[in-house]
Amino acid sequence: MLCDMGRLTIVIPVLDEAAIIAAALQALAPLRGRGAEVIVVDGGSSDGTAALAHLFADRVIAGPRNRGAALNAGAGIRSSRLSRG
């Protein structure tokens, strides 16, 4: 029996990761297919990272620009379905 991933949210803070974001998100496709939520938080990328992330993630949000992964991860957690109840 497959595990229900409906309560799993994966938050990925990024900044200028266009070279690897598609492969990273494609690797998470099996989890998404089982109900996991994938949120990418872009910290102001200038290389097209957000556009690529939109192709594979459940949600892409703009985080605080150049403020670090921790602040962007927090923004993603606050926007997750688990935080919304």
Side-chain angles (χ1 to χ4, degrees):
M1 181 164 116
L2 293 176
C3 180
D4 176 19
M5 295 285 175
R7 295 192 47 83
L8 175 66
T9 297
I10 302 164
V11 177
I12 305 171
V14 296
L15 178 63
D16 293 328
E17 298 293 349
I20 63 167
I21 192 65
L25 293 173
Q26 286 175 329
L28 297 173
L31 295 177
R32 287 184 67 214
R34 292 171 41 197
E37 175 185 38
V38 177
I39 300 171
V40 174
V41 185
D42 183 57
S45 296
S46 60
D47 67 349
T49 297
L52 289 170
H54 276 288
L55 299 174
F56 302 101
D58 295 302
R59 190 166 342 128
V60 178
I61 62 173
R65 185 165 175 75
N66 294 324
R67 296 293 305 272
L71 284 176
N72 285 330
I77 291 166
R78 286 188 299 279
S79 75
S80 74
R81 67 176 171 220
L82 297 177
S83 292
R84 294 185 303 242

